[in-house]
Amino acid sequence: MSTPTEDLSAAGVSIWLDDLSRTRIHSGNLKELIETRNVVGVTTNPTIFANSITNPDDTSYDAQVHELAQAGASAVDAVFAATTQDVRDALDVFRPVYDATNHVDGRVSIEVSPDLAHDTAGTIAQTKELWERVGRENLLVKIPATKAGLGAIEAGIAAGISINVTLIFSLQRYAEVIDAYLSGLEKAKAAGIDLSTIHSVASFFVSRVDTETDKRLAAIGTDAAAALKSKAGLANARLAYELYEKTFAGDRAKALLAAGATLQRPLWASTGVKDPALPDTLYVTGLVAPGVVNTMPEKTMEATFDHGVVTGDTVTTTYAESHRVFDDLKAVGIDFDDVTQVLEDEGVTKFIDSWHGLLDMVTKGLEAAR
């Protein structure tokens, strides 16, 4: 009997863990998840690192913080020293997966500073700095899909850097992200860079869409609105996959793929269920399609392993139904463009808040060590 995570992998879904800590790496837990839960990658963000580094029960960072304090490091320097070391060590754990999957998986992401979310030039500079500093070819540098981020995504790809585009909520912005990827590949090709070495994923957020939309549906309060509860997240992601299929079947993308480029895979993010009334594996089993990534909090991954029911592709047969969901949302008065803009703004703000909370905690740790 196969496990649900094996079934998920067999259906074409790459399982990534949405968490990383030094303890997880060095205890052997990460390697164990690769072997027992079919985990083939990791995503990180400022909140994840803040929870890890500031955990009072985790002493694995103490020696490095003390060393950095004696060297006079700033909080920003200390955070990047700690996070780049963790990501580098995790990438080494995943190196066998990277080799076994022909460089598709075995990847770990590290995010540029959230303070740069609206600074194209600053994001480009830090993307190159992180790529060089980590020094592992299976790295993905994570850039938010803000308007300012689009130029940085294109520039990073053009320079031969593999990119995880994060905080995508709308189909319009997703189309712009794919365009930035293709434009970057065209520039890389013109510069003589081997396109097969450049990889990218586009992180499309799911559960947060339901959280914001359901709040608005509840305020409308009609039966028609109530009937649409918790349908927007899956429908939005499924239509993102439709857009992915159409765009990468186009002549522009096909020419780049023929020259050695790789597909920019859709990645389902924010897949932990926020509403306890919903099945806890909803955003996993409801988004099964060939060639996607699903990055899961450990709780969601364990729920999937324990009782997830994988029935094959649950995306490509749902396009007509998903379009109807959006017709119905518009009919009851939901402005989905506003929903996605609010979510993007909130997503950036949350990461900035986590980042500054982390810097504050590290500053106190450095001062205490000095």
Side-chain angles (χ1 to χ4, degrees):
M1 288 288 290
S2 58
T3 67
T5 55
E6 288 172 339
D7 293 341
L8 203 57
S9 298
V13 179
S14 292
I15 301 170
W16 290 8
L17 176 68
D18 195 25
D19 187 60
L20 188 66
S21 70
R22 190 162 293 181
T23 299
R24 189 186 288 283
I25 297 166
H26 296 298
S27 68
N29 174 259
L30 187 58
K31 188 171 184 291
E32 181 184 353
L33 292 176
I34 294 170
E35 293 168 351
T36 66
R37 300 294 187 268
N38 304 89
V39 171
V40 292
V42 159
T43 47
T44 66
N45 60 48
T47 303
I48 285 170
F49 277 125
N51 292 340
S52 176
I53 294 174
T54 62
N55 180 357
D57 298 323
D58 187 348
T59 60
S60 60
Y61 296 94
D62 292 357
Q64 186 177 19
V65 169
H66 182 78
E67 182 181 316
L68 289 163
Q70 302 314 307
S74 69
V76 171
D77 290 340
V79 167
F80 277 118
T83 56
T84 54
Q85 180 178 320
D86 285 355
V87 167
R88 190 181 304 112
D89 290 346
L91 286 163
D92 290 343
V93 174
F94 276 109
R95 181 68 200 217
V97 175
Y98 177 71
D99 292 334
T101 60
N102 195 27
H103 301 173
V104 173
D105 283 311
R107 295 186 172 271
V108 182
S109 302
I110 189 168
E111 190 152 352
V112 297
S113 166
D115 284 338
L116 300 174
H118 303 296
D119 178 352
T120 304
T123 300
I124 292 170
Q126 193 170 95
T127 297
K128 292 177 178 178
E129 179 190 349
L130 288 170
W131 184 254
E132 293 294 327
R133 189 165 178 176
V134 174
R136 298 290 187 274
E137 64 187 57
N138 46 336
L139 176 70
L140 292 170
V141 180
K142 208 170 181 186
I143 299 175
T146 56
K147 277 290 185 185
L150 294 171
I153 293 157
E154 181 178 330
I157 295 296
I161 297 170
S162 294
I163 304 291
N164 176 345
V165 184
T166 189
L167 288 178
I168 308 172
F169 295 96
S170 73
L171 295 178
Q172 178 182 343
R173 183 57 52 83
Y174 181 37
E176 293 170 340
V177 165
I178 298 175
D179 180 71
Y181 177 60
L182 297 177
S183 296
L185 288 174
E186 287 162 348
K187 290 181 178 178
K189 183 177 180 230
I193 296 172
D194 180 356
L195 298 188
S196 70
T197 65
I198 306 170
H199 286 253
S200 182
V201 293
S203 300
F204 210 86
F205 280 55
V206 187
S207 68
R208 294 189 197 180
V209 170
D210 274 340
T211 301
E212 179 64 25
T213 306
D214 288 356
K215 180 173 69 177
R216 299 182 185 210
L217 289 169
I220 292 168
T222 63
D223 289 344
L228 292 166
K229 183 178 184 296
S230 304
K231 291 186 176 180
L234 286 179
N236 197 40
R238 287 164 171 169
L239 294 181
Y241 194 83
E242 181 187 39
L243 178 61
Y244 157 77
E245 284 192 310
K246 286 181 177 177
T247 308
F248 281 97
D251 291 342
R252 182 185 182 196
K254 283 199 294 189
L256 289 163
L257 295 171
T262 64
L263 294 166
Q264 183 187 52
R265 292 184 292 166
L267 179 152
W268 311 131
S270 182
T271 56
V273 171
K274 307 289 194 293
D275 183 348
L278 297 174
D280 55 3
T281 64
L282 178 67
Y283 304 123
V284 177
T285 58
L287 290 173
V288 177
V292 301
V293 179
N294 194 311
T295 187
M296 311 176 199
E298 188 170 19
K299 181 179 179 183
T300 302
M301 185 184 66
E302 289 299 332
T304 301
F305 179 80
D306 179 67
H307 54 263
V309 179
V310 179
T311 58
D313 185 339
T314 52
V315 173
T316 63
T317 58
T318 67
Y319 296 152
E321 175 191 342
S322 297
H323 282 288
R324 277 196 301 274
V325 167
F326 280 94
D327 290 341
D328 293 344
L329 286 168
K330 185 176 181 180
V332 299
I334 296 294
D335 181 349
F336 200 71
D337 289 340
D338 184 67
V339 168
T340 55
Q341 189 59 58
V342 165
L343 288 170
E344 180 183 306
D345 293 343
E346 283 183 353
V348 170
T349 299
K350 284 176 181 176
F351 281 164
I352 289 173
D353 289 347
S354 291
W355 174 247
H356 285 279
L358 174 58
L359 292 179
D360 289 345
M361 290 292 290
V362 170
T363 297
K364 290 175 185 173
L366 290 170
E367 290 171 352
R370 288 180 186 127

